[in-house]
Amino acid sequence: MKYRNLPKLTFKNTKGIEYLIVWKAPAKKYRADGLCDPPDSKSPEVWVDPSLDEKLFLDVLIEEIFHAHAFEKSEKEARKFAANLRRVLIKCGFRMA
């Protein structure tokens, strides 16, 4: 794993639905670096592959959290948002610890 000691994290979306972030790669059948459960799931989770390089890790993390807040938005919209936010964070000096 590239990023060790990632904390157990939960967050609530704008509708108050709590998500757990799972620091594992999604099953290979999904062919994805991250996944977000629908908000009506019993115990919704966001999955992010922790072995990704810093840029992709941030993009995927932001994208999946975006999906948790706006599940109806397209993958294209989520990716655009994630890339823009990551660029701004990096330009402001944010780096992975």
Side-chain angles (χ1 to χ4, degrees), residues 5-73:
N5 302 322
L6 291 169
K8 179 179 179 178
L9 293 174
T10 61
F11 67 91
K12 290 185 180 180
N13 70 9
T14 54
K15 294 186 168 88
I17 298 166
E18 187 170 69
Y19 278 78
L20 172 66
I21 300 178
V22 178
W23 304 113
K24 291 183 183 176
K28 291 195 186 299
K29 69 179 182 178
Y30 294 110
R31 296 176 34 203
D33 295 319
L35 286 175
C36 178
D37 288 335
D40 60 354
S41 299
K42 184 178 178 185
S43 298
E45 297 175 333
V46 161
W47 287 63
V48 177
D49 182 348
S51 69
L52 302 171
D53 67 47
E54 182 177 299
K55 176 184 167 191
L56 188 54
F57 179 84
L58 280 174
D59 280 355
V60 171
L61 179 59
I62 294 166
E63 180 183 331
E64 300 311 330
I65 292 173
F66 176 87
H67 279 307
H69 286 82
F71 198 77
E72 72 285 353
K73 295 292 186 182

Side-chain angles (χ1 to χ4, degrees), residues 72-89:
E72 72 285 353
K73 295 292 186 182
S74 71
E75 193 68 21
K76 182 178 179 180
E77 291 172 298
R79 285 185 180 166
K80 180 71 173 171
F81 175 81
N84 284 334
L85 181 54
R86 186 231 337 124
R87 267 190 234 99
V88 168
L89 290 172

